[in-house]
Amino acid sequence: MIHDYIVVGSGPSGAQAAQTLVNDGARVAMLDVGVKDDLYRGMVPDADFTSIREQDPDQYRYLLGTAFEGISWGGVKVGAQLTPPRKFMMHGIDRWIPLESSTFSPMESLAYGGLGNGWGLGCFVFSGPELEKAGLDHGKMKTAYEVISRRIGIAAARDDAASYGLGGLDCFQEALKIDTNCHALYEAYRAKRGTLNQQGFFMGQPPMAILTQDQGERKQVAYKDMDFYSDQDMSAYRPWMTVDGLKKHSCFSYHENCLVVRFEEKEGHVEVSVHRTDTHGKEVWRCRRLLLASGVLGTARIVLRSFQEGRVRLPLICNHYCYVPCLHLRMLGKPVERLRTSLAQLVLFHDEERTHADVAVASLFSYRSLLLFRLIKEAPLNFSDGRKIMQYLQSSFIIAGIHHPDAASADKSIELREDLSTITHDKLHAHYALSEEEVKGTRQREHKYISALRTLKCFAIKRVYPGFGSSIHYGGTLPYSRQDKPFTLAPNGRLHGTKYVYVADGSGFGYLPAKGPTFSLMANAHIVAQNALSS
Amino acid sequence: MRQATRSLSDEADLIARYLIGKSPNDRVKRRYEDAMHTLHGDLDAVDRRLWKVVTCCPFTFRIIDSGLAVLRPASSIRRKVHVMLAVLEASPEYCEYFLPKAFGPLYSVNIVLTGARAVFVGIIGYAALKLMGIKGQ
């Protein structure tokens, strides 16, 4: 049997690409490993965080994990921020898609819904200069952003940050309520807006993929502050919701336990080799068009295996970031409301030149639902006094996650090497280093952020660098190119050197703005799917 | 095995007294035992030496913990305390020690004093560990 379209992967890109294809009446098969959470699903009660803490004797099972996997020890590492009910996202990674690096620690996922299960929900529109640098078409992306916005539901505000986060996006719901801590910070910003704007800082609410009004089966957010533990009421968008919806269409079929290894083009169709993760059997699937959306690193593995051109080094880009715990003095000893979300409350853009290019972003979070014990560990104090002090300071903590844009360079690359000890007989090796100039620019920018926050009576305690790769924003391995060069993509998303293979994830982005790319990934996947339909 | 369980139960009691000033209930003790069985927090030679001091003279716990926080933050003793802290925090009976709440001005003074004490004990702990010949990690 030859399928019309095969989509590989069920993450944000795969889900949206498949949706576009199905909306056009195409017959689509989705191949996915599709790891699901069978342990914690249904375990987290439908209640707010404080009620759970005060009443549920079994809370330790999902707050700490049934195997206490939520009590991490040692240095900050990728995935440590995931709560036990979200850790399933990383199951099977080492076994099925191993990666070796001493400089780069990415997070990949074989889960149903992919990395979208842990997405922070920020929906940022890339500006014209950012789209141009990334190799994306401004006009098409503008339309695609609107399409995706209608599909997933976005809550946003027209404030100072809107020109950076929202662009010209028209379709959005009322913004989320901000919690007391960040509301006080925002009021401080409004009082000092003139000075901060002059320095290139613009604060507002981030557009978020969460509902403030009911949409179909999905309910408006109930502010239960359990966002890091479960998808209560489905108010926050996750890609699995799209795939669940697609399964109701007769022209869509979902196939789990399928690890796509490589493809080979034949006359008029593509053969897709699959390694089954349940039986270890090997299968060959056939399709007229193949859309790869298995994440930047996953897609790179498939493409490199398929071309088998010996050792090839692909470029890699990734937003580097640091987080800065701060004390917001206005909130010292103040109570915190019961009902809020754990998500980013505010966002602070830095655009010194006002060019909308190379903008940095700091997402601002209050701290509560990740529990205090994680924070106490970070303080160089004894635990007993640390507990008492942190409990007092808790309501005044603001965590600023500062992201920087990234572009390709010789020191950032991946390579697939033979390794007979792995199931696929290969292993991806990554190398990532910033140039001295990049490091200097990054530190200067962080310093400016810290200074701006200080203006708002929000004092940085320290800077934490979780390591390269931990931003979970990757791109640039198969950059868009108008020239027919190997390991690049044509502007319509087709992989150069192939007739029927398209790449619908972020592999083509030749530049990663600091803004989280997920919304743009979904918009781009929609465009690539349209291109595949019209080819 | 029974001996090991009893010692973990005693350990839970010792650590909880240090952290919140009272013995935990049996459920928390059992959970701590489960966590330690699962997480395998084995002590190295330095930690064993310090742990012996803590168990013999519980009043030294704060000093040793303070010194370790500066000199050996990844010490297995600190890990034990961290596990107990997590277990206590995820128990409804003890959540009041962790949840944010409104504090009066007097409590703010109390916190300032606690902070000052933490720094002071940190210096004492650091010096004590150095005197014992313990090196940083």
Side-chain angles (χ1 to χ4, degrees), chain A residues 311 415-422 424-427 429:
Chain A
R311 277 193 168 189
E415 193 181 329
L416 194 68
R417 293 184 199 160
E418 188 180 67
D419 187 332
L420 298 178
S421 67
T422 70
T424 50
H425 290 178
D426 52 30
K427 191 187 263 187
H429 288 248

Side-chain angles (χ1 to χ4, degrees), chain B:
Chain B
M1 182 66 190
R2 193 181 293 167
Q3 179 66 39
T5 304
R6 198 170 58 222
S7 94
L8 274 177
S9 175
D10 293 345
E11 198 172 294
D13 195 71
L14 174 73
I15 300 173
R17 280 174 175 278
Y18 163 59
L19 285 173
I20 57 170
K22 60 179 173 187
S23 293
N25 60 28
D26 288 345
R27 196 159 53 184
V28 164
K29 281 186 189 176
R30 273 198 305 276
R31 201 162 295 148
Y32 174 79
E33 289 164 18
D34 288 347
M36 292 312 290
H37 280 305
T38 310
L39 298 172
H40 308 294
D42 295 334
L43 302 178
D44 63 17
V46 173
D47 284 332
R48 267 201 303 275
R49 199 170 132 210
L50 291 172
W51 187 242
K52 211 169 170 183
V53 177
V54 168
T55 47
C56 290
C57 317
F59 69 91
T60 61
F61 209 153
R62 192 185 303 271
I63 297 169
I64 287 176
D65 184 19
S66 298
L68 287 173
V70 183
L71 261 181
R72 291 165 56 89
S75 142
S76 296
I77 293 179
R78 298 251 314 154
R79 190 182 188 199
K80 282 175 186 286
V81 186
H82 184 242
V83 169
M84 190 59 186
L85 200 64
V87 169
L88 284 168
E89 186 168 13
S91 307
E93 302 89 336
Y94 303 101
C95 69
E96 63 180 294
Y97 292 96
F98 299 90
L99 281 174
K101 52 188 173 190
F103 295 99
L106 271 180
Y107 196 87
S108 306
V109 175
N110 184 336
I111 285 297
V112 172
L113 294 175
T114 305
R117 178 179 66 179
V119 173
F120 179 69
V121 181
I123 295 166
I124 302 284
Y126 178 85
L129 263 53
K130 280 283 179 193
L131 279 174
M132 290 170 78
I134 289 164
K135 291 180 183 151
Q137 271 170 335

Side-chain angles (χ1 to χ4, degrees), chain A residues 49-50 52-60 63-64 66-69 71-74 332-336 367-368 370-374 376-389 391-395, chain B residues 18-20 27 31 34-35 38-39 62 65-66 69-70 73-79 81-83 85-87 89-93 95-104 107-108 110-111 114-115 117-119 121:
Chain A
F49 176 74
T50 310
I52 284 173
R53 294 291 306 285
E54 288 169 346
Q55 292 160 22
D56 184 8
D58 289 330
Q59 60 187 269
Y60 76 96
L63 296 183
L64 306 181
T66 52
F68 302 98
E69 67 272 25
I71 309 176
S72 62
W73 189 244
L332 279 179
K334 300 251 173 79
V336 178
Y367 192 95
R368 185 173 70 174
L370 285 179
L371 303 184
L372 210 55
F373 76 91
R374 296 172 196 252
I376 297 170
K377 183 184 76 164
E378 301 301 324
L381 301 172
N382 70 71
F383 277 115
S384 180
D385 291 332
R387 198 269 314 153
K388 209 169 167 184
I389 293 167
Q391 187 190 20
Y392 177 80
L393 297 179
Q394 191 173 183
S395 59
Chain B
Y18 163 59
L19 285 173
I20 57 170
R27 196 159 53 184
R31 201 162 295 148
D34 288 347
T38 310
L39 298 172
R62 192 185 303 271
D65 184 19
S66 298
V70 183
S75 142
S76 296
I77 293 179
R78 298 251 314 154
R79 190 182 188 199
V81 186
H82 184 242
V83 169
L85 200 64
V87 169
E89 186 168 13
S91 307
E93 302 89 336
C95 69
E96 63 180 294
Y97 292 96
F98 299 90
L99 281 174
K101 52 188 173 190
F103 295 99
Y107 196 87
S108 306
N110 184 336
I111 285 297
T114 305
R117 178 179 66 179
V119 173
V121 181

